[in-house]
Amino acid sequence: MTTRRQFLGAAALAIGAASTRVPAASGRIELAATDVHVRGYPTVEALRWIGEQLELETDGRLGVRLYHSGQLGRESDLIDLARFGAIDIARVNMAALNNPFPATRVLCLPFVFDDTAHMRRALDGAVGREILGHFADRDLVGLAFYDSGARCLYNTKRPIVTPADLHGLKIRVPPSDIFMHLLRALGANPTPLPYGEVYSALQTHLIDGAENNWQSFHTTRQFETARFWSYSRHSYSPEALLLSRRRFDALRADDRERLLDIAQRSVGYMRSLWDESERSARDYVLAHGVQANDVDRGAFERAVAPVVARYRDDAEVDRYWRGIRDLSGAA
Ligand code: GTR
């Protein structure tokens, strides 16, 4: 959990960043954009692309100043900083949005998506548009969804084939009640930690494992310690690209349209980077000795069914769930 002191530290850094982003004389506006990932990661490169397009299309009047690698703090803080207008753009994962924005929950539920193609169809369609609209409820503008691949389990101890294999393992989860409930239903001991602390937590044996996509596993070098990857594909929890409502309102009307349009166009660019980097991250870690195995998907689905049922008791979650499942297998 973030202490008040940690949050104020992040806010001070962000406000420092914000104060450099509008050099008055030139009239140029630099949008401060944040991401917890490193340079070269598809989400970071998509933000860079947005900056380049903005520069091109406004003759340099608008641009993006990128704070990658978690320089301005953890995702839950970045969401608040964007809401308060201390930063402009926050690229964060849906898991960090589940608690403040209940409409996002369905996107993290286990096994709601069959695969990446299914997730993309749902995000590009009516359900995606509606959920993106919900960010306006709390001072944000939902610009776009990005991919985050299939989250799978990995650990330092053994291959996980059925939920029974997770018994007694401490597995790191992102700050979302859904992930707590999910890992508990699978028999693990869920341990919430910020993304930036997972690598050292694995090394110091504070945790036995975590769950994420190939690219995060690779770029954080967690694969050096966690040598067992199990293809659970339990959640596709996508990424969100969010803009501070204050910044949006302060832009010229034509710049607002331009930014919305460029952000939407960045999705195709991000997806092509994503597909390529997913393959190369997987090949890299497998070539470096990580052992991968399939799981008993039926056993996993049965174990988490009560969690899904509990969330579907909520009428809105249930409506979205059915909307997404209707797109399963659609061409
Ligand atoms: C990654 C995601 C990050 C962060 C991380 C986590 O897949 O891209 O934004 O949320 O997971 O597990 O904390």
Side-chain angles (χ1 to χ4, degrees):
M1 193 193 280
T2 308
T3 63
R4 188 176 152 72
R5 202 157 141 222
Q6 283 167 328
F7 179 74
L8 291 176
L13 271 173
I15 288 160
S19 66
T20 61
R21 73 187 195 238
V22 192
S26 67
R28 174 179 159 84
I29 297 177
E30 282 188 335
L31 305 177
T34 62
D35 197 308
V36 296
H37 288 300
V38 293
R39 241 191 227 125
Y41 197 94
T43 52
V44 174
E45 293 313 305
L47 283 170
R48 186 189 310 286
W49 186 88
I50 290 175
E52 285 165 6
Q53 296 304 308
L54 276 175
E55 303 243 356
L56 270 177
E57 296 182 24
T58 63
D59 289 327
R61 237 181 348 95
L62 289 183
V64 162
R65 180 179 288 243
L66 198 46
Y67 297 89
H68 55 80
S69 309
Q71 290 168 68
L72 295 188
R74 53 184 77 176
E75 294 195 336
S76 38
D77 292 342
L78 297 176
I79 296 164
D80 285 338
L81 293 173
R83 290 188 53 226
F84 302 149
I87 59 170
D88 300 310
I89 297 178
R91 199 294 306 156
V92 294
N93 189 264
M94 216 54 65
L97 292 156
N98 289 165
N99 294 353
F101 293 91
T104 63
R105 289 179 182 163
V106 71
L107 300 177
C108 296
L109 284 181
F111 307 115
V112 65
F113 300 116
D114 297 339
D115 50 30
T116 294
H118 180 205
M119 182 196 71
R120 289 176 179 173
R121 279 196 299 279
L123 296 180
D124 293 346
V127 170
R129 275 193 299 280
E130 219 183 288
I131 295 175
L132 212 51
H134 270 288
F135 294 112
D137 299 347
R138 297 183 72 190
D139 318 314
L140 293 170
V141 177
L143 292 176
F145 292 114
Y146 288 155
D147 282 33
S148 197
R151 290 181 84 103
C152 293
L153 292 157
Y154 49 85
N155 77 92
T156 58
K157 305 276 188 199
R158 53 185 175 253
I160 305 299
V161 179
T162 71
D165 299 320
L166 278 167
H167 189 76
L169 295 190
K170 276 203 200 163
I171 303 291
R172 177 266 174 176
V173 289
S176 155
D177 292 347
I178 291 184
F179 282 84
M180 290 289 290
H181 294 143
L182 164 59
L183 268 297
R184 202 169 283 139
L186 290 172
N189 297 336
T191 309
L193 278 180
Y195 185 59
E197 291 171 26
V198 185
Y199 176 80
S200 58
L202 279 170
Q203 287 210 318
T204 57
H205 309 291
L206 177 68
I207 54 171
D208 303 305
E211 46 81 53
N212 219 314
N213 53 40
W214 281 119
Q215 289 94 322
S216 297
F217 187 51
H218 173 220
T219 54
T220 56
R221 304 202 75 80
Q222 291 172 41
F223 72 91
E224 292 171 351
T225 315
R227 307 297 280 161
F228 298 98
W229 171 279
S230 305
Y231 275 111
S232 49
R233 299 187 179 91
H234 51 271
S235 174
Y236 281 75
S237 180
E239 314 287 2
L241 190 63
L242 304 172
L243 174 70
S244 159
R245 176 95 224 169
R246 281 199 198 174
R247 164 55 67 195
F248 186 71
D249 290 344
L251 290 174
R252 285 172 20 181
D254 58 334
D255 286 340
R256 282 184 219 145
E257 290 309 311
R258 190 170 280 123
L259 181 53
L260 292 175
D261 178 56
I262 292 174
Q264 276 303 311
R265 285 192 276 129
S266 74
V267 174
Y269 177 68
M270 195 276 177
R271 286 179 182 173
S272 60
L273 293 180
W274 184 263
D275 293 339
E276 172 55 31
S277 68
E278 189 170 55
R279 276 190 292 275
S280 56
R282 181 198 55 211
D283 292 352
Y284 186 92
V285 301
L286 294 180
H288 284 74
V290 167
Q291 188 183 320
N293 70 277
D294 285 326
V295 304
D296 176 347
R297 170 147 172 151
F300 270 71
E301 288 197 39
R302 283 191 296 281
V304 300
V307 176
V308 174
R310 177 143 36 105
Y311 279 93
R312 286 185 64 195
D313 278 346
D314 178 275
E316 186 184 47
V317 172
D318 187 55
R319 186 167 60 81
Y320 289 145
W321 173 278
R322 284 184 285 107
I324 293 173
R325 293 307 307 158
D326 282 350
L327 295 172
S328 164

